[in-house]
Amino acid sequence: QVHLVESGGRVVQPGESLRLSCSASGIIFSLSAIDWFRQSPGQGREFVARITSASRTVYGDSVKGRFIISRDNAKNTVYLQMNSLKPEDTAVYYCHTDEYWGQGTQVTVSS
């Protein structure tokens, strides 16, 4: 059975950094493209970042220059390094591959 589990979300202050993790099982991880999406109250699901099996990366416009996606195939884990966090980054962050989704981790950026 495929499982994606996000972790690392917490409350931080504006300008701080945070690293999220997505651990996967039940897939051939090294051959899988992994995405991060986020959703905040009253907003639709927003694309954040993608990393392909060849480690090519794509970022949503709102996070370009601030967030970095990476992967460690030996650990079956994808990371999202979030820098210079803003209140507008507050959301539940989900990892995704193919038709599979994790349960999300809450990130709150507030003073």
Side-chain angles (χ1 to χ4, degrees):
Q1 189 173 359
V2 175
H3 286 101
L4 301 173
V5 181
E6 303 93 337
S7 62
R10 61 181 179 90
V11 178
V12 298
Q13 296 184 45
E16 293 185 341
S17 296
L18 191 63
R19 189 178 74 162
L20 306 182
S21 298
C22 172
S23 296
S25 61
I27 62 171
I28 305 175
F29 184 84
S30 63
L31 300 181
S32 301
I34 308 293
D35 305 321
W36 286 97
F37 286 82
R38 67 187 183 186
Q39 188 162 14
S40 58
Q43 298 275 50
R45 186 185 64 185
E46 179 185 21
F47 173 77
V48 175
R50 167 174 289 181
I51 185 163
T52 71
S53 60
S55 292
R56 183 171 184 173
T57 58
V58 181
Y59 296 94
D61 289 341
S62 63
V63 307
K64 286 179 181 176
R66 297 189 299 123
F67 290 10
I68 301 171
I69 188 171
S70 62
R71 66 192 300 154
D72 185 341
N73 288 344
K75 296 182 178 180
N76 281 13
T77 300
V78 167
Y79 304 99
L80 184 68
Q81 178 67 44
M82 305 185 294
N83 301 313
S84 301
L85 283 163
K86 306 174 181 179
E88 64 198 68
D89 295 318
T90 296
V92 178
Y93 284 72
Y94 300 91
C95 62
H96 162 264
T97 185
D98 297 323
E99 73 267 38
Y100 305 107
W101 294 85
Q103 295 181 341
T105 186
Q106 176 71 49
V107 174
T108 301
V109 185
S110 176
S111 298

